[in-house]
């Protein structure tokens, strides 16, 4: 994950440009928060990945988004 400093907000934020170029598809009506999008990206880049996030922060939506984004690749490569 690349990080950038947002001068307007005074925060260091993850570069989520991967969302804009279509590599990760997100639900339009139920969008993920920025930290959840980072979780999806990290999980997709790894063969195995754990989400050590606090209770109530949305691990289930991250997992569902990861599965939905992996499914087309698995269907194509493994003929499932």
């Amino acid at each position: 994950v690349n990080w950038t400093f947002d001068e307007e907000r005074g925060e260091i934020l993850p570069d989520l440009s991967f969302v804009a170029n279509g590599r990760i598809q997100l639900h339009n009506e139920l969008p993920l928060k920025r930290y959840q999008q980072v979780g999806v990206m990290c999980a997709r880049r790894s063969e195995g990945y754990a989400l050590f996030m606090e209770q109530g922060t949305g691990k289930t939506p991250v997992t569902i988004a990861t599965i939905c984004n992996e499914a087309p690749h698995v269907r194509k490569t493994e003929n499932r």
Side-chain angles (χ1 to χ4, degrees):
V1 177
N2 294 324
W3 299 86
T4 58
F5 182 71
D6 185 342
E7 293 180 22
E8 187 175 301
R9 297 170 76 177
E11 297 178 313
I12 297 175
L13 301 171
D15 175 16
L16 298 178
S17 59
F18 68 93
V19 175
N21 68 17
R23 285 190 280 164
I24 302 279
Q25 293 181 352
L26 301 174
H27 196 281
N28 290 335
E29 294 178 23
L30 301 170
L32 298 177
K33 297 199 183 301
R34 292 181 74 83
Y35 67 89
Q36 292 172 319
Q37 293 173 19
V38 171
V40 172
M41 185 180 71
C42 292
R44 295 249 2 247
R45 289 183 172 182
S46 303
E47 188 173 322
Y49 195 77
L51 296 171
F52 293 109
M53 298 163 58
E54 290 290 327
Q55 183 177 3
T57 56
K59 295 176 291 293
T60 300
V62 172
T63 303
I64 292 170
T66 302
I67 292 169
C68 289
N69 280 278
E70 282 291 320
H73 174 72
V74 171
R75 282 189 206 118
K76 186 182 288 185
T77 59
E78 299 182 17
N79 295 323
R80 290 186 190 181

